[in-house]
Structure formats: structure tokens, C-alpha cells
Amino acid sequence: MKDNVLKNIPLFADLKDEILEKIFVLVQKRVYKQNNIILMEEDAGDTLFILNKGSVKITRLSDNGREVILSILGDGDFFGEMSIFDGESRSANVIALEDSEVFILKRGDFLDLLEKHPKIAIALLQEMAIRLRHSDQQIEGLSLSDAENRIAMSIIRLAEDLGVIKMGQVIINNLPFQQDIANMAGTSRETVSRMLKALERKGLIQREGRKLIITNYDEFVREFG
Ligand code: CMP
């Protein structure tokens, strides 16, 4: 049999082929177009989503209706686990940033898998620890630093979540729109535009269409991280 597509999903890393084949029978594939709403805050939810291809933004609306981006997830990431575990409604909106393909797993099947294969549970906990660390950093960043630092920190986060490392550079192929970066950093689109231009002038980044290259990632992190 040809390689199981689930092989590239970090949650299922190290599982034997026969187990991956059993999981594959349980999942349903669905595609979303750019800007489609995949999950809505406050909806009831009992399914896990695994992003096979594409990227999504996790958002909430502030009291004055402004979109706040909590995170951006890319290839191989999962979402929808929180409602499965605590039985509450969806904690955030999930919106496709580009045309995306997901695998959907029912709550009961997912909980069964966690019981049968502790490796999946450990991978899930590792990823949840990383997300909590990110959220801690975001809270710290929002309260402590000025808008320019918050934008730089958002770029570092995008590099970590979506970037590809190549000889000291980090390439983000499909940079989210400036308004999305502004909503991650809690600032305006104009400030993001100004800051990107300033970073480009300093040679810290290069831009080609939707592609953003961080010229020397270590240096960038030293300066802003
Ligand atoms: P759930 O609450 O079921 O639906 C919305 C999903 O967004 C949630 O599960 C998580 O998978 C995801 N999510 C919510 N908050 C964050 C966050 N701070 N970072 C990353 N993902 C999140």
C-alpha cells in the first residue's frame, strides 16, 4: 500500500503502518476555501480536526468587535481538542487563511485512540505544552512591549509555526495578511506596514509577494526575541 497520508501528522508520528491504516478508516476528509469559517466560538463541538494541508487562524472577538488572533496553525497541526476534553463549547473561531484540507475525527474514536496508543496522548500533551508557553509569551508581550516589539514577536511566532529553515534563513512562504499580523500583535495594519518596511530597509527581512524571508534568524531573535 502507498504511504499513508497520516504519516506526516506529528500527532501520529512513530505509529506503525497498520495502526495508521486503522486510523485512516476513522477520519473524514473535508476541504475549506480561503476565509471559510471552520469552527465558531460558542458552537457545541465533539470533533477533532487535523490540518493536512493549509493554514488557519484561531481568533476571538474583543468586546469592541476587534479580531484578536490567538494563534496560527499550519500543516499537520490539530485543533478542536479543547471541547473534546472539557465538554464546553468551542473556545475560539477557526478560519482558513488559505485553501485547506482537514481530517475530522469523532470524539469517541479520538478518546479510544488515546487510550489504546499512549504515544498519541504524549504527542498531544507536548503540543499543548508548547501552545501554553506561546500563550504565556503572548500575554507577557502584550503587556510589556511596544507595538514594534509585538510585531517582531508575532513574526518570530509565524516563523516557528509556518516557517521553513534553510541555511540560517527562515522562509515563510505564505505570510498572513498585514491585517492578520496586526490582529496577532494588537496593533494597526498601518503600523505593521511601516514596521515591515523598516525591517526590510535594515536588511533583517526580504519580501517577495506573499513570501517573507528572515535573513538571519538567530540575529532577528537576538534583536527582538
Ligand atoms: P476548541 O475549543 O474545541 O475549538 C477551538 C480551538 O481552537 C480549540 O479547541 C483549540 O484547538 C484551538 N485554540 C484555542 N485557543 C488556542 C490557542 N491559544 N493556541 C492555539 N490553539 C488554540
Side-chain angles (χ1 to χ4, degrees):
M1 176 176 176
K2 73 178 175 63
D3 255 4
N4 191 309
V5 283
L6 298 178
K7 234 186 164 70
N8 301 322
I9 307 290
L11 209 51
F12 303 135
D14 302 331
L15 291 183
K16 294 202 182 86
D17 285 351
E18 68 242 41
I19 299 170
L20 290 177
E21 276 165 37
K22 283 193 187 132
I23 301 175
F24 190 69
V25 176
L26 301 173
V27 300
Q28 197 196 334
K29 193 169 107 176
R30 205 177 284 171
V31 291
Y32 292 91
K33 291 254 164 241
Q34 187 179 36
N35 294 327
N36 275 179
I37 298 174
I38 304 176
L39 292 181
M40 279 216 337
E41 195 180 339
E42 304 301 341
D43 278 356
D46 57 1
T47 42
L48 179 84
F49 288 71
I50 298 163
L51 195 51
N52 184 40
K53 251 188 262 151
S55 58
V56 300
K57 58 180 175 180
I58 313 282
T59 76
R60 292 183 71 146
L61 288 184
S62 69
D63 286 346
N64 55 14
R66 204 170 54 81
E67 179 185 77
V68 179
I69 298 188
L70 303 175
S71 186
I72 291 192
L73 304 178
D75 287 354
D77 282 330
F78 61 84
F79 54 90
E81 79 293 349
M82 288 171 63
S83 300
I84 289 188
F85 290 129
D86 68 8
E88 301 277 333
S89 53
R90 297 296 188 192
S91 60
N93 305 296
V94 182
I95 298 163
L97 281 175
E98 57 190 301
D99 293 353
S100 298
E101 184 182 290
V102 299
F103 295 125
I104 302 177
L105 197 53
K106 290 200 201 84
R107 177 176 192 273
D109 290 335
F110 180 52
L111 294 179
D112 253 14
L113 285 174
L114 292 178
E115 272 188 31
K116 286 198 191 118
H117 308 290
K119 278 183 179 168
I120 304 179
I122 291 170
L124 178 98
L125 288 169
Q126 279 171 341
E127 175 59 24
M128 289 183 84
I130 292 171
R131 290 183 189 179
L132 186 54
R133 266 182 206 275
H134 279 156
S135 296
D136 289 351
Q137 281 162 2
Q138 198 166 4
I139 293 167
E140 187 193 15
L142 287 175
S143 57
L144 293 182
S145 36
D146 61 22
E148 299 203 339
N149 271 317
R150 294 202 302 271
I151 294 167
M153 281 168 65
S154 300
I155 292 173
I156 290 173
R157 227 179 125 191
L158 287 169
E160 284 173 1
D161 293 345
L162 305 176
V164 184
I165 305 173
K166 213 171 164 185
M167 294 188 299
Q169 297 190 331
V170 171
I171 302 165
I172 305 170
N173 275 311
N174 229 336
L175 187 74
F177 293 114
Q178 291 183 3
Q179 184 63 59
D180 287 325
I181 299 173
N183 293 353
M184 281 178 88
T187 184
S188 67
R189 195 199 61 74
E190 290 73 15
T191 310
V192 172
S193 168
R194 225 179 315 117
M195 171 86 176
L196 290 177
K197 280 191 196 119
L199 290 172
E200 213 169 5
R201 268 198 307 276
K202 286 189 197 162
L204 289 169
I205 62 167
Q206 292 163 37
R207 285 186 293 169
E208 295 158 24
R210 295 287 304 280
K211 192 199 264 189
L212 181 134
I213 300 168
I214 303 178
T215 328
N216 181 334
Y217 188 62
D218 286 345
E219 189 188 329
F220 194 91
V221 171
R222 259 198 308 278
E223 179 136 356
F224 300 105

